[in-house]
Amino acid sequence: GENVEQHPSTLSVQEGDSAVIKCTYSDSASNYFPWYKQELGKGPQLIIDIRSNVGEKKDQRIAVTLNKTAKHFSLHITETQPEDSAVYFCAAIITGGGNKLTFGTGTQLKVEL
Amino acid sequence: GAVVSQHPSWVICKSGTSVKIECRSLDFQATTMFWYRQFPKQSLMLMATSNEGSKATYEQGVEKDKFLINHASLTLSTLTVTSAHPEDSSFYICSAILGPVNSPLHFGNGTRLTVT
């Protein structure tokens, strides 16, 4: 089955700096890669996603890049703010193949003032 | 606003009792819903896939007789933890596909279950 690795497990940045979280996946058939933000005591919230036919996608301060050859995808957050502090999960899925997400292990992002 | 509603948000029960958790899709029909379990500081682990009008598909290692799933309508799936034990204490989260099969998964806000 699919295996998704995520790094780093914790990340601390100063407010205004950029944060980058990286994930790798094992199944080349995976074609959809969402990123979720989870605040304490809440369910994951979809913040951005990318499909395998696209190399990069941006939404305001958040961007995701995908390297299908290397099976890497990354989340980039620019101009970080304290409210960005949360746990971020990457995930991979083969759409149409049951739509079962495989999650990464999560990154605890802390944005310090 | 939220597209997946989960209830209750937290529940405390005694060992041996059963607890039912509801997951509702708001403003759309969800033929498939998913149930996840999350331990503190860990990732989400898929427990089962809930299919409307048919039996749920359980992941390896998940006891189907302990975690009963019912998906009787296109907007409601329920997870019942039967004969709960302290080790069942966890954060349970449901999700649903919003729209066609290639649409994103959206999650409920989870249910914190504590078994005493």
Side-chain angles (χ1 to χ4, degrees), chain A residues 29-102:
Chain A
S30 291
N31 57 2
Y32 175 62
F33 307 92
W35 284 88
Y36 291 88
K37 175 183 180 182
Q38 186 177 27
E39 297 177 338
L40 190 63
K42 296 186 177 180
Q45 179 185 14
L46 179 69
I47 56 172
I48 196 167
D49 56 12
I50 191 167
R51 299 191 183 274
S52 58
N53 58 347
V54 176
E56 184 174 356
K57 183 177 178 180
K58 189 174 181 180
D59 182 4
Q60 299 183 333
R61 297 188 295 109
I62 297 173
V64 58
T65 59
L66 171 65
N67 182 329
K68 283 192 298 182
T69 303
K71 297 184 199 161
H72 290 173
F73 58 114
S74 300
L75 177 71
H76 305 253
I77 305 175
T78 59
E79 301 172 30
T80 53
Q81 301 166 3
E83 50 265 40
D84 293 330
S85 297
V87 178
Y88 291 81
F89 290 98
C90 63
I93 187 173
I94 303 171
T95 59
N99 287 310
K100 293 197 293 186
L101 277 176
T102 300

Side-chain angles (χ1 to χ4, degrees), chain B residues 56-100:
Chain B
T57 304
Y58 290 82
E59 295 301 300
Q60 191 173 9
V62 178
E63 299 177 58
K64 61 180 181 180
D65 293 330
K66 180 165 188 63
F67 299 100
L68 300 179
I69 291 173
N70 184 281
H71 194 156
S73 78
L74 286 170
T75 59
L76 174 64
S77 175
T78 61
L79 169 67
T80 301
V81 183
T82 62
S83 187
H85 291 285
E87 55 265 31
D88 297 326
S89 299
S90 189
F91 194 50
Y92 293 88
I93 313 171
C94 70
S95 70
I97 299 173
L98 173 61

